[in-house]
Amino acid sequence: MIYGDKHTGVIVQGATGKQGAFHIALMNEYARQVGGKGVVAGVTPGKAGQEIHGVPVYNSIRDALKDYDASAQVIFVPAAAAGDSIMEAASAGISLVVAITEHIPVHDTMRAIEFAKLHDCAVVGPNCPGLLSPGEIKLGIMPVHLSARGHIGVISRSGTLTYEIVDQLTRAGLGQSTIVGIGGDPVIGQTFSDVLARFEDDPQTKAAVIIGEVGGGLEEEGARSTDLPLVAYIAGISAPPEKRMGHAGAIIEGGEGDARSKIARLKAIGVPVASRPSEVPRLIRELV
Amino acid sequence: MKLLEHEAKSQFSKYGIPVPGGVVIRSQEELSEKMNELPEQFVLKAQVEVGGRGKAGGILMAGRSDGVAIAGELFKKEIKGVPVKEILAEERLEIQQEFYLSIAVDRSSKQALILFADAGGVEIEALAKERPDAVRKASLPLLIRDVPAFMLRDLMGKAPKEVGKIINQLYRVFCEKDAILAEINPLVTTPSGVFAADAKLIIDDNALARQGITQNRDLTEREREAERHGFSYVELSGDIGVIGNGAGLTMATLDLIEYYDGRAANFLDVGGGADQERVMHAVRLVAGDPSVKVIVVNLLGGITRCDEVARGVIAAGITQQVIVRLAGTNEAEGKQILAGSGYRMLDSMEQAVKAAVEAVR
């Protein structure tokens, strides 16, 4: 596993909102199943003293850290305040922030990520489903029933498409080490390269699947950066230029980042690219 | 959202970036009324957000005597399919030198990327290939308030001193206006100083509200309606309607349609927590496009309730065939509900897409 394990204490920011409360319950249900520490505290400014599914709520991360040990944080706060939450976490000494929130203005994201870097804090997301190390820890909103513990690392800019491919891997008997949703925004914290570097150092991970989409060139950058056996799938071969395909980052701009040229570049560096999600397990089997 | 040239210029001007004098007109009459604000010779520029506007006939030279007639012709034109509703009538510049300047969000460095080139009015990508020495770049973390002087020196090369101030002011515009791109192409020198001859400003869609912009003009009417429901929707040109949850899965569904030689009519991502009401609105919205002959619904999720989705599909009460692939909570119940009303429910996205492509053949 990478980023965290059973012993990782988790704080949820935006704990009292509908999403935050719902997913605290699911994350802690999983923690109970696997014998993990789970969410130890929630934070919502002005709501100290409340309890959400048995988890105490604090006004600030610093307050929560006086009573509990935690190194990871999951953010569900609304877009306008999410950049602030990332910086609060980094400044309080949290080493991993998972930002689920969608629609954060990109300038806020850039500033928050820059600030987090000054505090050696890694940011996963924003606009992501979080991560899941089967049998160890769930940070975010990924469904757990489709996954199985194993040796394949999965990195994706998408949510449900990840579940689709994870489901197919599991059905083919290929369990996963860690599944990381890095987010659908144009600017994200942890990129394919960052996650692949961690997978390389992870003895559990034998190969990785990168699930990309139109926009930018982070998939190719990641593939070039690693020696790990890789399989890729790129969504958006039918996406028209200059149209945002759901994700803020899924847009072909100025003739850059279209699926065909991405696929060609990946193939040129020797990465097999699945033409449909259902081909991924077969391509992985050919590698390991 | 893309701002029009005159809107971008008015923003740039507020930050002290010199722009040519001009007036915006919406009709020939308005030009006659404002003629005395213009010099003897001027230029008429169609205010449309398309690249290569000049070559497409969107920029015409005019003078006080023939200006109204030429404006009339320009108003009748479509520039690359976009009708001309506004024209910027602007003084002609006596251009000595041209440069390129842009500041953009850079995905790779996660910083502002400043590009400066010794040639203007060009496609920057093409220039970078032909004359790599002419293009200089610098990336700047947004925590820095002003462009450092060394960076300005590196960027500018032999450009006149005023350019340094303009780069810094454009960076201010970029930061304060939540821009994803601020561009001056060309930036020109004239006997009376340096001017932004053209201007481009694209505002982050996620920051429109705090920038005081209430409506995103880049969207079509149906796309706007979709936005009101919280859907992401893109119109395409085929006959198979697509509804999915999550951008990646929906895109992959479109790709699979193409893989099986079908053509998608749209991209619709219902987003998270698809309940009965949302699914009903989504199905109706897609079915409302007259070119849609069949609809594929591809929903997968941990928390999506299949019974809710099934009821939503039925409640939409549309005439087109709907083929459903559902995986999630209460899957069996959802299947039962749909089967009871004569809908087809298939187990994988491959099967569902194949069935839809066959249905339109």
Side-chain angles (χ1 to χ4, degrees):
Chain A
M1 84 293 294
I2 55 175
Y3 291 108
D5 58 22
K6 282 179 190 156
H7 312 291
T8 305
V10 183
I11 290 177
V12 166
Q13 272 234 40
T16 55
K18 194 179 153 199
Q19 285 275 313
F22 180 75
H23 287 288
I24 284 176
L26 289 184
M27 275 187 266
N28 277 350
E29 192 187 310
Y30 193 64
R32 267 191 297 278
Q33 276 175 31
V34 302
K37 209 165 169 188
V39 180
V40 294
V43 171
T44 302
K47 299 277 172 76
Q50 290 192 14
E51 271 198 5
I52 300 291
H53 301 290
V55 172
V57 175
Y58 292 82
N59 281 335
S60 73
I61 301 171
R62 281 184 203 282
D63 285 353
L65 287 175
K66 282 176 199 154
D67 295 344
Y68 290 95
D69 222 15
S71 59
Q73 166 167 266
V74 183
I75 291 180
F76 290 97
V77 305
D84 183 66
S85 295
I86 295 171
M87 293 191 281
E88 185 189 352
S91 135
I94 296 285
S95 58
L96 175 71
V97 169
V98 177
I100 307 298
T101 310
E102 191 180 0
H103 299 307
I104 303 178
V106 70
H107 283 238
D108 290 6
T109 302
M110 289 196 284
R111 285 194 195 92
I113 288 173
E114 206 71 55
F115 184 89
K117 205 160 72 185
L118 298 174
H119 293 268
D120 287 323
C121 168
V123 179
V124 174
N127 188 13
C128 79
L131 55 101
L132 172 68
S133 293
E136 287 288 337
I137 189 170
K138 160 173 155 143
L139 291 165
I141 64 172
M142 281 193 197
V144 295
H145 63 282
L146 302 171
S147 61
R149 191 177 178 126
H151 301 290
I152 310 301
V154 179
I155 315 170
S156 174
R157 284 169 66 189
S158 164
T160 44
L161 179 59
T162 318
Y163 316 156
E164 174 78 41
I165 290 174
V166 165
D167 184 36
Q168 307 222 11
L169 286 170
T170 303
R171 283 170 198 265
L174 295 160
Q176 305 88 40
S177 53
T178 300
I179 307 154
V180 187
I182 55 175
D185 275 1
V187 174
I188 48 177
Q190 296 286 289
T191 60
F192 288 103
S193 334
D194 299 318
V195 185
L196 284 165
R198 295 201 188 216
F199 276 141
E200 273 191 44
D201 294 338
D202 173 33
Q204 191 189 342
T205 305
K206 305 277 188 265
V209 179
I210 60 177
I211 305 167
E213 57 193 36
V214 290
L218 293 179
E219 292 85 353
E220 302 95 296
E221 188 187 291
R224 271 186 221 108
S225 73
T226 188
D227 294 326
L228 208 63
L230 287 185
V231 166
Y233 172 78
I234 303 293
I237 206 153
S238 56
E242 307 295 334
K243 279 285 183 184
R244 229 164 267 288
M245 304 302 280
H247 283 153
I251 180 167
I252 303 164
E253 283 167 311
E256 302 266 308
D258 67 288
R260 275 174 225 281
S261 58
K262 240 179 227 281
I263 290 167
R265 279 195 288 271
L266 285 166
K267 285 185 174 166
I269 44 179
V271 176
V273 183
S275 55
R276 306 172 271 169
S278 59
E279 275 181 19
V280 169
R282 182 176 59 79
L283 294 177
I284 280 282
R285 282 228 179 276
E286 285 170 11
L287 290 180
V288 291
Chain B
M1 187 182 90
K2 293 180 183 124
L3 298 194
L4 294 169
E5 177 192 3
H6 74 84
E7 295 168 325
K9 278 184 170 163
S10 114
Q11 292 294 347
F12 289 4
S13 175
K14 282 180 198 155
Y15 283 79
I17 297 171
V19 301
V23 294
V24 181
I25 56 161
R26 287 164 192 85
S27 66
Q28 280 175 292
E29 295 71 41
E30 207 178 346
L31 180 59
S32 324
E33 285 162 26
K34 292 181 174 168
M35 197 63 91
N36 56 356
E37 297 171 41
L38 288 164
E40 193 58 48
Q41 298 292 317
F42 51 90
V43 55
L44 294 170
K45 302 168 92 177
Q47 296 300 285
V48 288
E49 251 317 324
V50 297
R53 172 182 60 165
K55 281 189 189 129
I59 299 177
L60 301 173
M61 295 300 155
R64 284 198 179 172
S65 53
D66 58 2
V68 174
I70 294 173
E73 280 165 37
L74 195 50
F75 274 123
K76 280 186 218 136
K77 273 193 196 166
E78 282 194 354
I79 309 298
K80 292 190 175 175
V82 182
V84 179
K85 289 178 186 154
E86 292 179 315
I87 294 173
L88 174 62
E90 207 174 60
E91 68 171 294
R92 288 192 207 172
L93 297 171
E94 199 183 312
I95 296 171
Q96 294 168 323
Q97 262 183 300
E98 294 186 298
F99 301 98
Y100 171 95
L101 169 62
S102 72
I103 306 179
V105 168
D106 181 36
R107 295 175 185 233
S108 184
S109 67
K110 302 163 204 178
Q111 298 179 341
L113 180 70
I114 310 176
L115 282 178
F116 188 85
D118 295 328
V122 291
E123 281 241 13
I124 191 68
E125 294 86 4
L127 183 70
K129 268 180 207 145
E130 283 161 31
R131 293 172 54 200
D133 295 352
V135 182
R136 292 176 292 275
K137 51 179 129 178
S139 68
L140 185 58
L142 292 197
L143 300 181
I144 304 288
R145 189 181 147 80
D146 283 301
V147 184
F150 83 90
M151 207 176 261
L152 291 177
R153 289 194 298 272
D154 287 352
L155 286 163
M156 286 163 58
K158 293 192 177 78
K161 231 170 57 192
E162 301 102 289
V163 169
K165 192 185 160 231
I166 292 174
I167 296 175
N168 198 51
Q169 289 310 107
L170 193 67
Y171 177 65
R172 290 273 176 92
V173 173
F174 177 81
C175 292
E176 288 174 27
K177 297 296 162 193
D178 277 300
I180 53 176
L181 174 70
E183 183 184 81
I184 302 176
N185 182 24
L187 178 70
V188 301
T189 59
T190 73
S192 48
V194 181
F195 289 92
D198 198 356
K200 196 169 178 182
L201 189 57
I202 306 179
I203 310 291
D204 177 9
D205 287 349
N206 287 339
L208 295 183
R210 75 178 177 198
Q211 290 298 338
I213 299 167
T214 48
Q215 197 180 56
N216 187 344
R217 281 188 316 226
D218 291 352
L219 303 178
T220 67
E221 195 47 51
R222 205 187 296 274
E223 285 169 353
R224 215 167 276 144
E225 192 194 331
E227 199 183 56
R228 279 195 289 275
H229 289 294
F231 306 148
S232 298
Y233 178 85
V234 177
E235 276 174 6
L236 302 165
S237 55
D239 48 12
I240 302 173
V242 177
I243 297 170
N245 64 333
L249 185 68
T250 312
M251 249 188 283
T253 311
L254 301 184
D255 294 349
L256 207 52
I257 290 173
E258 192 172 290
Y259 182 87
Y260 286 114
D261 290 326
R263 286 166 66 236
N266 71 281
F267 165 102
L268 191 152
D269 168 12
V270 286
D275 60 12
Q276 179 174 337
E277 180 97 359
R278 290 170 63 80
V279 171
M280 181 188 80
H281 284 303
V283 173
R284 282 189 185 158
L285 186 89
V286 170
D289 175 351
S291 53
V292 169
K293 291 189 191 135
V294 58
I295 298 174
V296 190
V297 177
N298 182 18
L299 300 183
L300 170 72
I303 55 171
T304 301
R305 284 184 45 185
C306 297
D307 52 327
E308 289 257 350
V309 173
R311 287 196 187 93
V313 170
I314 293 165
I318 58 153
T319 52
Q320 291 100 323
Q321 188 186 351
V322 185
I323 296 165
V324 186
R325 181 277 177 123
L326 276 179
T329 317
N330 301 342
E331 212 173 294
E333 201 185 332
K335 273 185 191 172
Q336 224 172 16
I337 293 169
L338 283 171
S341 299
Y343 286 87
R344 281 179 81 184
M345 176 132 159
L346 294 163
D347 283 332
S348 75
M349 67 185 269
E350 295 244 2
Q351 289 169 345
V353 164
K354 262 192 213 167
V357 173
E358 278 157 21
V360 294
R361 272 202 191 123

